[in-house]
Amino acid sequence: MALLPILTAPDPRLKKKSKPVEAVDDDVRRLMDDMLETMYAAPGIGLAAPQVGELRRVIVLDIDREEVKTGPLFMANPEIIEASNEDVSYEEGCLSVPDHYSDVVRPAKVTVRYLDRDGKQQDMTCEGLLATCVQHEIDHLDGILFIDHISALKRNMILRKLLKARKEKERDEAEGKPAKDKAKDAEHAL
Ligand code: GNR
Ligand code: NI
């Protein structure tokens, strides 16, 4: 297993549409396993392949909450086949949009059809945080970030701040300063 670097916005690869996998073979399984390890290390509750620079329709999730303990979920070619008329708003974050959080409105309940880690087709009906997260991950496969669901004013403010933070990080690294701690990210992961 290996930890993969996570791309952050703005990055042109995060705006691209990912391609379906032809089959869940050993190569796809290796990507899934590396993504899960990368997601746990981040830490995060979901990760989509384009976030690690792989433009393939593969996502992993693990929502470990009191109400729902899914364990690790691996999905290739996930598709929403049914969505509720009822919507919910959830404060979302993204490993590719570090340190920014916004309320996003999405269907409260969705059914997702996908190929599991063994290549078997499955349908799963999701509610609560899992429903939000699976929609957030499938958006990544279509080049959509949660900030694309908020006002252009707020989105552009976040993108400007991300660019500024990246420049400061590059400058600090060039000067040999230590990286900032990740306690704040951990707090927002769930
Ligand atoms: O770790 C994550 N938390 C999260 C919280 C609310 C809504 C969506 C998410 S997904 C995010 C990890 C990530 O960026 N996945 O693409
Ligand atoms: Ni994300």
Side-chain angles (χ1 to χ4, degrees):
M1 298 236 275
L3 286 180
L4 308 168
I6 297 176
L7 305 179
T8 56
D11 186 301
R13 287 167 288 182
L14 292 170
K15 303 294 293 172
K16 296 220 166 102
K17 200 170 159 74
S18 292
K19 289 213 163 64
V21 301
E22 277 183 26
V24 182
D25 55 14
D26 286 347
D27 180 55
V28 169
R29 268 188 287 274
R30 186 182 324 120
L31 172 64
M32 286 171 161
D33 293 344
D34 288 346
M35 283 170 59
L36 191 75
E37 192 185 3
T38 302
M39 182 193 83
Y40 286 144
I45 56 173
L47 192 69
Q51 292 181 275
V52 294
E54 292 281 348
L55 296 179
R56 293 192 269 179
R57 300 187 80 83
V58 172
I59 64 175
V60 297
L61 310 124
D62 191 349
I63 314 275
D64 197 354
R65 281 236 168 155
E66 313 82 63
E67 327 91 80
V68 259
K69 274 197 168 56
T70 60
L73 291 170
F74 305 90
M75 302 185 179
N77 303 344
E79 265 182 276
I80 307 283
I81 57 165
E82 210 179 309
S84 61
N85 292 322
E86 188 204 342
D87 287 338
V88 281
S89 171
Y90 200 93
E91 188 182 51
E92 298 195 17
C94 181
L95 295 169
S96 298
V97 187
D99 303 323
H100 294 277
Y101 306 89
S102 282
D103 288 328
V104 176
V105 176
R106 301 181 188 272
K109 189 171 168 182
V110 294
T111 301
V112 57
R113 178 165 292 169
Y114 62 97
L115 300 177
D116 69 15
R117 200 177 170 285
D118 299 317
K120 191 168 176 272
Q121 186 181 292
Q122 306 274 3
D123 288 354
M124 182 183 282
T125 299
C126 312
E127 288 180 273
L129 181 59
L130 184 57
T132 290
C133 195
V134 80
Q135 293 174 82
H136 173 117
E137 302 313 336
I138 293 172
D139 266 359
H140 275 300
L141 305 180
D142 294 317
I144 297 164
L145 300 174
F146 80 87
I147 52 173
D148 295 315
H149 291 282
I150 65 181
S151 75
L153 189 74
K154 217 168 165 198
R155 175 168 61 250
N156 290 332
M157 187 196 72
I158 290 172
L159 287 169
R160 267 202 314 277
K161 286 185 178 169
L162 287 173
L163 263 184
K164 186 162 167 264
R166 184 188 297 176
K167 285 195 192 117
E168 279 169 8
K169 189 165 166 260
E170 282 167 359
R171 191 201 57 209
D172 287 357
E173 278 165 0
E175 291 173 4
K177 283 189 194 153
K180 295 207 174 105
D181 82 76
K182 282 193 173 181
K184 223 172 32 200
D185 301 349
E187 198 178 295
H188 281 281
L190 287 182

